[in-house]
Amino acid sequence: MNLPQPSATSTTTVRNLGILAHVDAGKTTVTERILYLTGATHKRGEVHDGTTVTDFDPQERDRGITIFAAAVSCEWDGHRINLIDTPGHVDFADEVERSLRVLDGAVAVFDAVAGVEPQSESVWRQADRHGVPRIAFVNKLDRAGADLDTAVASIRDRLHPAPLVVQLPIGREDGFTGVVDLVTMRALVWDGDTCAEGPVPDDLADEARRRRRVLEESVAELHAAALDEYCARSFLSEGTLTAALRGVTLGGEGLVVLCGSAYRNRGVEPLLRAVVAYLPSPSDVPPVRGTHAGEEQRRPAEPRAPFAGLVFKVNSTATGRLTYVRVYSGTIRKGDTVLDTGARRTERVGRILRVQADRHAEVGRAAAGEIVALVGLRNARAGATLCDPSAPLVLEPPAVAAAVVSVA
Ligand code: GDP
């Protein structure tokens, strides 16, 4: 189906986002809610009746777990968010690895009752190896026995020494209705799908102030500019706090933690705001590295540089063979001839699609930082580098980066 051309985006307004989770933590539900809120789907899928839009492969529906990564594009607040689904099942570690390569940032979803589970830990370590900046979403706060502080303690003990909790839940378990945003010091309360913003409730005012202070002190310990301001004024302005949270997220020194209940659609808009505010755009990450004729090259996320992209998934669909590509540098256009450096052959790009859940939008080109599906390539496999034939490049194989880190 051809949809209207999506609005143009610059590299800085793109977020290539992965959602990492243990099976059952709520990754599919979070994805669904994001797609719903951003208007990519107008009908809510429900996991239990098999109608979710990201899991459109029948085998996935049958098995009830996300087996194949799917990249889905949506727009939020002037930003394009490309959601790269990463399998949470341990049997699909290779596929997780491949999707981690093309992400710039990720949301790690935890179950508020179970906390950190073994698979959350293994996916977390994989993301560490790839240097993927992350924020955390403690989901299922509506469940009996859910407790944000306990879940955060398990994150601190097992994954990250510096969790930075930016919300205070309003109500517990079945009575969980919203959050106090500790950055803006405003309350967000949900009634059905409607979110009302207002002052912090009186009975939570002291606790919210106390937690804001803890947040400021923790951030000041990790971030030089925040420390300077904190020492000079004994508090952090909202602007400094936000900038410092972004800084420590990109540097990996701190982990921003949000919470909610994706199932009840509570906390997903603030999560999207945090994705845009704290996680990197393609231009925030280092230039991709590759080799040609034994020489290392770096290619910036620059639309006018020679084209280079990585195939991270190939899918046979009713539309044809879809070759999912992360464009790292340059621009790819419909009709271009590209070189597959692994197979050492050229192929012609028939169409370029932006995949939106179960629909496709055809676009004329895709620039550095974008994730699109190409139609018309017959041979390219997952892991292949596609590039401008006049500027050949093989993108660094993931095993190299992983091996270097594990040896170090
Ligand atoms: P995934 O395996 O990580 O993709 O998890 P799913 O999104 O499939 O969710 C697993 C189960 O937890 C499903 O039955 C969901 O309906 C349920 N679930 C997801 N989010 C929440 C939540 O916020 N609260 C509650 N109570 N259940 C949830």
Side-chain angles (χ1 to χ4, degrees):
M1 179 201 298
N2 285 353
L3 295 172
Q5 291 275 322
S7 57
T9 42
S10 77
T11 310
T12 53
T13 56
V14 171
R15 295 291 178 279
N16 291 318
L17 176 72
I19 300 191
L20 312 176
H22 187 277
V23 168
D24 255 16
K27 185 179 64 180
T28 310
T29 311
V30 170
T31 306
E32 280 301 327
R33 295 309 183 247
I34 290 176
L35 295 178
Y36 179 72
L37 285 170
T38 57
T41 56
H42 297 283
K43 175 180 77 71
R44 271 206 213 170
E46 295 297 344
V47 173
H48 55 79
D49 68 10
T51 61
T52 62
V53 279
T54 40
D55 291 349
F56 51 73
D57 187 286
Q59 197 187 348
E60 294 192 352
R61 267 189 290 236
D62 291 348
R63 295 186 54 177
I65 54 171
T66 308
I67 299 175
F68 303 105
V72 182
S73 203
C74 57
E75 292 200 18
W76 169 259
D77 194 23
H79 291 71
R80 180 183 317 290
I81 299 177
N82 295 317
L83 278 171
I84 300 114
D85 197 10
T86 49
H89 199 274
V90 77
D91 292 352
F92 306 102
D94 281 358
E95 205 159 332
V96 178
E97 196 81 20
R98 215 177 288 134
S99 4
L100 285 174
R101 273 191 84 186
V102 299
L103 306 177
D104 296 318
V107 173
V109 178
F110 300 94
D111 179 322
V113 179
V116 175
E117 295 166 270
Q119 272 169 44
S120 335
E121 213 168 335
S122 53
V123 175
W124 188 271
R125 303 286 166 226
Q126 277 175 302
D128 278 345
R129 284 204 301 277
H130 287 268
V132 177
R134 271 149 282 172
I135 58 178
F137 183 70
V138 177
N139 187 33
K140 304 197 185 183
L141 227 57
D142 60 305
R143 277 186 68 192
D147 181 60
L148 178 61
D149 292 341
T150 314
V152 170
S154 92
I155 292 173
R156 181 185 290 110
D157 291 346
R158 295 178 63 177
L159 302 181
H160 200 295
L164 302 165
V165 182
V166 297
Q167 293 171 335
L168 166 66
I170 301 175
R172 287 185 66 87
E173 301 178 347
D174 211 29
F176 167 66
T177 54
V179 294
V180 175
D181 181 329
L182 298 172
V183 177
T184 59
M185 290 303 267
R186 301 280 289 166
L188 302 168
V189 177
W190 281 268
D191 180 10
D193 282 353
T194 315
C195 176
E197 191 182 326
V200 178
D202 287 344
D203 59 330
L204 287 177
D206 286 347
E207 182 63 7
R209 271 195 296 272
R210 190 184 70 74
R211 289 189 182 232
R212 163 71 180 235
R213 183 151 284 265
V214 169
L215 175 63
E216 290 182 9
E217 284 169 0
S218 313
V219 168
E221 273 177 27
L222 301 169
H223 192 269
L227 181 62
D228 289 347
E229 183 169 311
Y230 195 76
C231 290
R233 302 169 65 183
S234 309
F235 72 93
L236 293 183
S237 64
E238 189 183 322
T240 306
L241 182 55
T242 305
L245 286 169
R246 179 173 160 80
V248 298
T249 302
L250 298 191
E253 298 92 0
L255 176 70
V256 169
V257 181
L258 298 100
C259 64
S261 162
Y263 184 71
R264 300 201 182 184
N265 202 17
R266 290 175 188 168
V268 183
E269 293 108 318
L271 177 63
L272 281 168
R273 268 182 243 158
V275 164
V276 165
Y278 307 133
L279 290 177
S281 75
S283 33
D284 294 319
V285 298
V288 70
R289 283 187 299 174
T291 50
H292 175 56
E295 295 215 348
E296 189 183 296
Q297 291 184 17
R298 281 162 202 260
R299 292 270 178 90
E302 162 54 53
R304 282 179 296 275
F307 164 68
L310 181 79
V311 176
F312 65 98
K313 181 173 173 65
V314 178
N315 237 355
S316 290
T317 70
T319 313
R321 190 173 189 267
L322 296 188
T323 306
Y324 285 85
V325 176
R326 156 84 191 238
V327 181
Y328 279 101
S329 71
T331 301
I332 187 170
R333 292 175 185 78
K334 181 177 173 169
D336 276 356
T337 297
V338 292
L339 174 66
D340 175 340
T341 42
R344 295 171 190 227
R345 65 167 93 192
T346 54
E347 292 208 74
R348 195 167 164 277
V349 176
R351 292 188 294 150
I352 303 178
L353 305 179
R354 191 163 281 141
V355 179
Q356 300 172 329
D358 52 356
R359 297 165 295 172
H360 303 125
E362 193 166 337
V363 293
R365 65 175 72 181
E370 283 280 11
I371 287 185
V372 286
L374 308 179
V375 185
L377 305 192
R378 273 182 295 218
N379 301 300
R381 292 164 187 251
T385 301
L386 300 180
C387 61
D388 179 339
S390 63
L393 184 77
V394 180
L395 294 173
E396 183 186 58
V400 173
V404 170
V405 174
S406 59
V407 167

